[in-house]
Amino acid sequence: MTTPELSEQLTGLVRSIDGVVQVYDARPTALAAAADLVATVIGQPAGEPIAVTNTGGGISVAVSVAISDASPAAEVCRRILEAISGHLGSNADGTTVDRVKIQVSRISSGQAGGDAGG
């Protein structure tokens, strides 16, 4: 599986988690803007917001989310970690999870979460 495919799968997975209101781009702003500009110029879709790095058989994932204030932040982060780890653990390609970085960029009131994405 390619890194863009994995990023797309993980983005959809995280968006579906109860308590997640939105998934933001986890890449550094300048890198994301440059990569998306290049993709637009060459007619490719923009990158997925979840950053996946695959080096030497290990995978690092970075995700930035907005969560609902209806659920404790720690619990939502635990759900995200379990979902990502479970998904990566189910891949049969022998890769290991080196790191999962979860950043809560916003806590939003009045949203149940799990159905919005960004």
Side-chain angles (χ1 to χ4, degrees), residues 51-80:
V52 176
T53 307
N54 189 347
T55 56
I59 296 178
S60 294
V61 177
V63 59
S64 177
V65 294
I67 62 172
S68 169
D69 66 354
S71 298
E75 181 58 34
V76 176
C77 289
R78 190 173 4 268
R79 286 184 212 135
I80 293 169

Side-chain angles (χ1 to χ4, degrees), residues 9-81:
Q9 287 179 359
L10 293 176
T11 299
L13 178 67
V14 170
R15 283 184 175 142
S16 72
I17 294 171
D18 187 38
V20 173
V21 176
Q22 189 169 6
V23 179
Y24 299 116
D25 200 322
R27 300 173 296 177
T29 304
L31 174 63
D36 289 348
L37 177 62
V38 169
T40 301
V41 168
I42 63 172
Q44 297 294 317
E48 291 294 329
I50 292 183
V52 176
T53 307
N54 189 347
T55 56
I59 296 178
S60 294
V61 177
V63 59
S64 177
V65 294
I67 62 172
S68 169
D69 66 354
S71 298
E75 181 58 34
V76 176
C77 289
R78 190 173 4 268
R79 286 184 212 135
I80 293 169
L81 176 61

Side-chain angles (χ1 to χ4, degrees), residues 62-101:
V63 59
S64 177
V65 294
I67 62 172
S68 169
D69 66 354
S71 298
E75 181 58 34
V76 176
C77 289
R78 190 173 4 268
R79 286 184 212 135
I80 293 169
L81 176 61
E82 289 172 358
I84 290 173
S85 296
H87 183 78
L88 294 175
S90 68
N91 289 335
D93 59 3
T95 58
T96 59
V97 180
D98 287 337
R99 182 174 86 148
V100 177
K101 177 183 173 190

